[in-house]
Amino acid sequence: MNMRSISLFLSSEPARLVLFLLGIMAFVGLNAAYLVWVERKGAGRFQRRPGPTEVGPAGLLQPIADALKLLSKQLIVPAGVDRTLFRVAPLLMMSPALISLAVIPWGEHLAARNINLGLLMIFAFGAINTMGIMLGGWSSRNKYAIISAARVVSQSVAYEIPVLLVVITTILVTGTMNLNEIVANQAGPFWKWYLFRWDVNPLAPVTFLIFYTCMLAETNRAPFDMAEAESELVAGAYTEYSGMGFGVFFMAEYANILLGCSVATVLFLGGWQSPIGVLPGVFWFLLKLYFLVFSVIWVRWTFPRTQFYGLLNLSWKILIPVSLFTLILSSALVKL
Amino acid sequence: MIIEQTKPVLEGPKGDASPGRTDEPIAPGAVRASDAPAATGRETFVINLGPQHPATHGVLRVKMTMDGEYVVRAEPVCGYIHRMHEKMAENRTYAQFLPNTSRIDYLSAMTYTHAFVGAVERAAKIQVPRRAEYIRVITSELNRIASHLVWWGAFLLDLGGFTPLLYAFDDREKILDLLEGITGARLTYCYYRVGGLYNDVDDAFLNGTRTFVTEMRPRLKMYRALVTENIILRKRLIGIGPISAEMCRRYGATGPVIRGSGVSYDVRRLEPYSVYPEFDFEVPTFPEGDSMARYLVRMEEMAQSLRIIEQAVDKLPAGPVMAERVPRVLKLPMGDYCYAVEAARGRFMVRVVSDNKEIPYRVKLRTPCLSNLSLFEEASQGMLLPDALALMGSLDLVIPDIDR
């Protein structure tokens, strides 16, 4: 009877949500830690060096050592800063990613919340994360940080537009904002994925490329890492942050990469759908997700940073017109 | 008696060994920091770039008056690593000053020692054996390649690309190993002595150098394919930070900076020293004057240095590496002696004034980086901050060389 009540409690909606929330937080925490390890190892391989080797076998305990170091450091709040905003800013960047991950369908019945406006929710919360960097830079009372904050705002404005246009194109084709349904629509062999659906969107691969580029820009990853261009702005918006203040920003960067890659997987790579019909959906989802995450790391260690106006030019002169054109083309096709 | 080299093409009046100080106004229409708000009608703010900043690669401070992301005025502040090399020269003998010459530009130590021993040899009328001169050329050119490789890696680091640095250091490591084998030091060699060399080279060095030359050529090709032709890099360098030949002349900028502005100025060619006239090499020049031109000049120079090394190793004569009668106590005859070399960053000249004592009366070190930095203030006006930093990176500044 005891077991029965426990399982009953666990299947109740609030308990399910709490469990999923804990699960997502653990997932993001572990990923942030071990993606740093993957990134450092990967960077090492790209640069003909071994990467971390000292702590644990193959440096596997390095992220834990780093986390311990960050946790034990003093949290310095510089004189004259806006204390509230300064403290809140890292959380503002971290929490939207955590919340948005709640609607991602990891497997067929594995989503914290299966809501109809899932896609809208992700992009609504995605816009908040820009606020995080901006407020962090603004409240730091540091010139480098303020320049960085200004850059982040114009970068985000420039890149939210093409990404939303691309998403609208996808919504037009799928007819739903429910991520589960979007994935369900892509069932079957891999040419059913929206990445290869030339019949409904002739420019589907281009759409994916635009989405991918914008995701790099939104998460402030190289080659679009204007916000923390270390050779120009020291550490940009994060200059004044120490200890876990910086640590949360750092984790949020990886959480946002995870989120961006998850959305790309759902929208273009068929989510948890297996192209050959073996193994559970979670496996396929994670495989596609980590393939994208790896490509993000690959890009970072391959290209130099773009110029700031180059980045804006790319968005306003290439990405927005192209994505607008795709939108019109797809809507015409849908109408036919 | 004054032994003067051929008159420098680029420098101002004779003896003006610090061409950075010109009386020219910075530029017509230039905005000074003090009157910037009034002139533009907009508020400006000052950013201190340095003395500790990732972009300056050392303790250089640049006081930047900014209008948003635009540079209104960038004023370099030198002196944070001033070590009084010139004053130190005035209270030690010529031999005792030799180690200092490796520590002015630590990336191109060979050429700097060359200029100093060259000036002393010219004054004391010491004939250096041909084998020693050949080995000087080989080691100087190896040093030039090593120096350019460091610049290449650090410059791309400034542009946000971290990976090339490790590749550059991989190649540079081979050069450092070779030079360590014969000199015992990896950076501050002090290998040239008045009258010749510290010791002779061995077969391991010569064979290693031959192997290095054959291995380096495909690497340069790879760098061209992977980095030089990268679209992001090209967009960041082409047309950015133009420096005219006229501006180079005004500030006395030399080396790859002036060659990137289309002036074929190379001390090895125009004021030949050592055995350089015996080698077949080109002086790469690019007329555009932008950051890309300076980049390409250095990349091409590495290939030319490989050519020189190859010829020198093949033609290396036998014989001693030290002149026969070098007095133990060097007393230079009264006079004023100059010797200029083409260092990795441009013209480096040593001027020794002797009053017939064991220690020099005055040693003036004309370093290329100070002049190259001087034009930054004018050249960076109105540029965006990242572009200005790319321009600074393309000047290849070594901070101890500026302050010395």
Side-chain angles (χ1 to χ4, degrees), chain A residues 189-271:
Chain A
F190 70 86
W191 55 84
K192 292 284 187 192
W193 298 352
Y194 282 126
L195 176 58
F196 302 109
R197 289 290 296 275
W198 288 288
D199 51 332
V200 287
N201 176 7
L203 290 172
V206 179
T207 320
F208 173 71
L209 270 183
I210 293 174
F211 185 89
Y212 185 81
T213 316
C214 296
M215 184 194 73
L216 287 180
E218 285 272 297
T219 50
N220 285 309
R221 287 286 294 193
F224 306 113
D225 52 345
M226 299 299 126
E228 42 173 336
E230 80 280 347
S231 56
E232 299 151 20
L233 301 178
V234 190
Y238 315 142
T239 309
E240 295 289 354
Y241 282 92
S242 67
M244 266 329 264
F246 170 75
V248 171
F249 268 128
F250 203 59
M251 275 171 72
E253 181 183 327
Y254 286 94
N256 280 311
I257 293 168
L258 271 183
L259 177 66
C261 291
S262 307
V263 176
T265 310
V266 167
L267 289 185
F268 294 100
L269 300 180

Side-chain angles (χ1 to χ4, degrees), chain B residues 58-288:
Chain B
V59 282
L60 172 69
R61 176 175 163 218
V62 184
K63 232 170 101 180
M64 289 191 143
T65 310
M66 307 283 297
D67 178 6
E69 287 240 7
Y70 289 92
V71 178
V72 177
R73 181 164 185 236
E75 185 190 348
V77 183
C78 308
Y80 284 90
I81 193 167
H82 188 59
R83 291 151 302 163
M84 297 197 293
H85 278 305
E86 292 180 4
K87 192 70 192 166
M88 281 163 90
E90 288 172 24
N91 46 54
R92 58 199 62 209
T93 65
Y94 294 98
Q96 282 170 338
F97 184 66
L98 260 185
N100 287 50
T101 55
S102 302
R103 286 158 176 81
I104 301 164
D105 177 350
Y106 51 87
L107 291 177
S108 145
M110 288 285 186
T111 42
Y112 277 55
T113 317
H114 198 164
F116 182 72
V117 296
V120 176
E121 283 156 3
R122 187 172 278 175
K125 294 210 176 66
I126 296 169
Q127 191 64 41
V128 182
R130 277 177 61 75
R131 185 177 172 84
E133 289 284 20
Y134 267 76
I135 295 170
R136 282 183 182 180
V137 167
I138 296 171
T139 46
S140 283
E141 293 305 317
L142 280 175
N143 202 196
R144 186 188 315 278
I145 297 175
S147 170
H148 281 351
L149 282 171
V150 175
W151 160 80
W152 185 69
F155 183 46
L156 283 151
L157 197 61
D158 282 351
L159 298 176
F162 189 67
T163 305
L165 179 81
L166 277 294
Y167 280 73
F169 270 55
D170 198 6
D171 291 331
R172 174 178 178 255
E173 196 63 23
K174 292 176 195 151
I175 299 179
L176 294 193
D177 284 346
L178 285 173
L179 294 180
E180 190 183 10
I182 52 166
T183 67
R186 288 166 63 79
L187 280 181
T188 50
Y189 310 107
C190 194
Y191 179 54
Y192 309 158
R193 299 291 153 88
V194 176
L197 303 170
Y198 158 61
N199 62 0
D200 201 352
V201 294
D202 50 8
D203 284 347
F205 173 79
L206 291 175
N207 292 334
T209 308
R210 280 198 190 94
T211 324
F212 171 76
V213 171
T214 48
E215 281 173 358
M216 190 63 201
R217 290 213 165 104
R219 296 281 286 192
L220 284 177
K221 223 171 258 172
M222 182 177 85
Y223 295 158
R224 192 181 311 132
L226 288 183
V227 178
T228 312
E229 285 171 11
N230 180 299
I231 174 110
I232 298 178
L233 185 89
R234 296 182 80 81
K235 285 214 163 185
R236 285 213 58 180
L237 296 185
I238 293 178
I240 303 293
I243 295 173
S244 66
E246 181 267 338
M247 199 197 287
C248 287
R249 290 206 175 90
R250 205 142 35 80
Y251 286 100
T254 48
V257 177
I258 194 166
R259 289 197 285 276
S261 301
V263 182
S264 175
Y265 176 80
D266 189 317
V267 182
R268 291 174 295 178
R269 188 49 61 76
L270 293 182
E271 306 166 34
Y273 58 96
S274 193
V275 284
Y276 275 108
E278 297 174 22
F279 301 114
D280 178 30
F281 66 99
E282 281 158 30
V283 179
T285 48
F286 288 83
E288 292 85 4

